[in-house]
């Protein structure tokens, strides 16, 4: 967590005081796919896609690069056939900081970059009062530092302060048993302060 804030502070300190004209804020939504969460394997065999919502901030006043920060919540709730668990929810609250290189064009701006992330991964279950079998272990919450790669495209129109964006990210982060990973596909918008 300290690393994320340190990088954001250094980038903000390197920009000039008049650089706030390059500030954009927005919202995003999408899905997380290709889940590999070794610490949350049982009873999650059927967990294929997770929902995602979040907020995003972009600073585009630094020469040649943009800095993107996000706060995202990824989750999925599933019913089970187990007598001792009615349903369960896997969730991940993620804070990210990314540096991207935009290829500026007239209306469409593709970009690619790398970043760091802090994951707060958790598991919640509804227990109907039936005791858990001795062989069943409820996973605990985990806090993990990770990395990601991203590619995306921004669609903006001259003199209009709202732009649209689509993005793909590949996350990987260490958890107690082994490395976890998933991908996200999102669509969102930015409001730019001109």
């Amino acid at each position: 967590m300290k690393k994320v804030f340190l990088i954001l502070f250094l980038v903000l300190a390197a920009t000039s005081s008049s650089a706030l004209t390059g500030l954009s804020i927005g919202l995003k939504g999408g899905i997380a796919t290709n889940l590999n969460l070794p610490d949350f394997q049982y009873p999650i065999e059927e967990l294929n896609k997770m929902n995602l919502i979040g907020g995003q901030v972009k600073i585009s006043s630094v020469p040649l690069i943009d800095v993107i920060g996000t706060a995202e919540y990824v989750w999925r709730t599933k019913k089970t056939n187990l007598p001792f668990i009615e349903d369960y929810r896997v969730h991940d609250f993620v804070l990210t900081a990314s540096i991207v290189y935009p290829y500026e064009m007239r209306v469409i701006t593709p970009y690619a970059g790398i970043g760091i992330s802090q994951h707060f991964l958790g598991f919640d279950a509804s227990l109907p009062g039936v005791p858990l079998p001795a062989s069943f272990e409820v996973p605990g919450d985990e806090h993990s530092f990770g990395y990601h790669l991203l590619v995306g495209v921004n669609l903006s129109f001259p003199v209009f302060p709202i732009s649209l964006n689509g993005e793909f990210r590949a996350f990987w982060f260490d958890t107690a048993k082994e490395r976890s990973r998933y991908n996200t596909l999102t669509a969102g918008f930015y409001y730019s302060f001109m």
Side-chain angles (χ1 to χ4, degrees):
M1 184 73 149
K2 292 179 183 177
K3 294 176 187 177
V4 173
F5 289 122
L6 177 63
I7 289 175
L8 285 176
F9 174 76
L10 291 174
V11 169
L12 289 173
T15 61
S16 67
S17 61
S18 62
L20 287 179
T21 55
L23 179 67
S24 303
I25 61 171
L27 299 173
K28 66 191 314 188
I31 59 170
T33 62
N34 294 333
L35 297 163
N36 180 14
L37 305 173
D39 289 10
F40 295 85
Q41 287 303 310
Y42 186 81
I44 306 176
E45 293 84 2
E46 300 175 10
L47 191 64
N48 297 320
K49 293 181 182 173
M50 296 173 73
N51 307 305
L52 182 152
I53 58 170
Q56 52 191 359
V57 176
K58 180 171 65 171
I59 301 170
S60 56
S61 54
V62 180
L64 299 177
I65 63 167
D66 289 347
V67 177
I68 299 175
T70 68
E72 302 170 0
Y73 184 67
V74 181
W75 82 98
R76 183 70 187 266
T77 302
K78 294 285 284 184
K79 294 276 186 197
T80 74
N81 296 329
L82 301 173
F84 48 89
I85 290 185
E86 292 175 354
D87 57 44
Y88 59 89
R89 170 182 282 228
V90 177
H91 52 91
D92 189 14
F93 178 68
V94 189
L95 297 173
T96 72
S98 311
I99 295 174
V100 301
Y101 176 76
Y103 183 73
E104 299 281 347
M105 294 193 288
R106 187 171 293 238
V107 176
I108 296 177
T109 303
Y111 58 89
I114 59 172
I116 57 175
S117 56
Q118 182 69 39
H119 296 261
F120 301 89
L121 196 62
F123 178 95
D124 300 321
S126 298
L127 308 175
V130 179
L132 292 173
S135 61
F136 186 83
E137 180 181 340
V138 176
D141 294 348
E142 296 195 22
H143 308 277
S144 303
F145 182 78
Y147 305 92
H148 60 272
L149 299 173
L150 68 150
V151 293
V153 63
N154 201 50
L155 180 64
S156 58
F157 302 97
V159 210
F160 194 64
I162 295 179
S163 62
L164 306 175
N165 75 306
E167 195 172 86
F168 170 82
R169 293 185 185 218
F171 288 94
W172 67 95
F173 51 98
D174 290 328
T175 47
K177 292 183 180 176
E178 59 184 89
R179 179 161 288 176
S180 294
R181 64 181 181 273
Y182 60 79
N183 303 328
T184 61
L185 290 168
T186 60
F189 72 89
Y190 285 108
Y191 177 85
S192 298
F193 297 92
M194 304 206 177

